[in-house]
Amino acid sequence: MKMIKRTIGILLLITMVAIPLTACGENSGGSAVSKDSDANNLSTATEETSLFSNPLKLHDEENKQFCVDVPSDWKKTGQSDESGMNVTTLEPSDSGKKVVIGVSYKSVSGTSEPEKLNEYIEKFKEVYGEKMPDAVINERMTANGYVCLVLTKKTAGTGDAHTIDYFIFGNGGRLTISQFSNQGDAEGLEYVTSVAEFMVDTAVMY
């Protein structure tokens, strides 16, 4: 687990910003979810999803940028604020599952128009392709209609975590969901991938 968390620290620095865990408000379509939160800033949603029932809700501190579902059996295990950078990590409550998910958000000015957003995405692909030539970048649409780039390393060094990053673009921002599991843990990889993809497809950008 220490190896996974060390890798998380490195990759969240690449994405530059992250978010605290809290309750959801209203999404861009106007449908409301619970705004109540407990001492751990967790709130149970009122609607069930096709993959995980009664998910928790996660959004930015000001509740103005995004909202994403988190399985109800997951918890916040880390949050830091250093030099203006907030970092949140999530783990399953089951301590036997050695996986972690990190969520980060970055405002991207000048990308509200589709043409400008497409230009930004293409430049993003180019930059990451140069930074990580051993990675594969695939593009897909989320269930809510956002462009999502999925970045997977082809190879990993000894002791590195198996990492997949999902970069979601829309409404002047970039939401990043990063999953981490131990190399060689096929069951852990399958599980954390299902959770990360669930979060990707429930993401709403305000």
Side-chain angles (χ1 to χ4, degrees):
M1 186 60 72
K2 289 183 179 179
M3 169 271 292
I4 293 176
K5 291 182 177 178
R6 183 169 60 250
T7 305
I8 287 174
I10 295 172
L11 292 179
L12 285 180
L13 284 172
I14 293 174
T15 59
M16 295 308 296
V17 294
I19 52 178
L21 188 62
T22 181
C24 266
E26 294 184 355
N27 65 24
S28 58
S31 60
V33 294
S34 175
K35 289 186 178 181
D36 298 330
S37 60
D38 62 17
N40 292 319
N41 294 323
L42 294 174
S43 176
T44 302
T46 58
E47 296 183 0
E48 292 191 355
T49 67
S50 60
L51 291 178
F52 301 90
S53 62
N54 300 317
L56 303 172
K57 295 289 185 173
L58 167 66
H59 76 128
D60 58 284
E61 189 172 7
E62 298 297 324
N63 191 21
K64 294 180 178 179
Q65 297 167 323
F66 71 91
C67 176
V68 63
D69 285 1
V70 179
S72 58
D73 60 345
W74 278 60
K75 60 186 178 180
K76 181 179 71 174
T77 56
Q79 181 177 336
S80 64
D81 188 351
E82 301 177 9
S83 301
M85 182 180 70
N86 294 313
V87 178
T88 299
T89 55
L90 306 169
E91 295 179 29
S93 297
D94 182 352
S95 60
K97 295 177 178 178
K98 305 300 183 183
V99 297
V100 179
I101 286 179
V103 182
S104 64
Y105 181 85
K106 179 179 178 63
S107 295
V108 183
S109 61
T111 61
S112 297
E113 297 179 3
E115 183 178 349
K116 295 297 183 181
L117 177 59
N118 289 335
E119 291 177 359
Y120 175 79
I121 291 173
E122 290 305 312
K123 183 63 176 179
F124 185 88
K125 289 180 184 177
E126 180 182 338
V127 170
Y128 265 77
E130 293 175 352
K131 282 184 177 180
M132 306 177 70
D134 66 335
V136 174
I137 302 178
N138 293 310
E139 181 175 328
R140 76 172 181 90
M141 300 297 292
T142 73
N144 287 324
Y146 304 109
V147 175
C148 177
L149 298 182
V150 184
L151 187 150
T152 308
K153 283 186 177 181
K154 290 182 181 179
T155 59
T158 302
D160 285 349
H162 187 108
T163 306
I164 300 177
D165 294 315
Y166 304 83
F167 301 100
I168 307 167
F169 304 87
N171 291 337
R174 185 184 81 224
L175 178 65
T176 304
I177 296 174
S178 301
Q179 67 175 66
F180 307 88
S181 58
N182 289 318
Q183 287 290 335
D185 181 5
E187 183 177 347
L189 174 60
E190 181 180 6
Y191 171 66
V192 73
T193 298
S194 69
V195 173
E197 290 185 344
F198 164 73
M199 293 172 65
V200 167
D201 280 317
T202 60
V204 175
M205 311 281 276
Y206 299 160

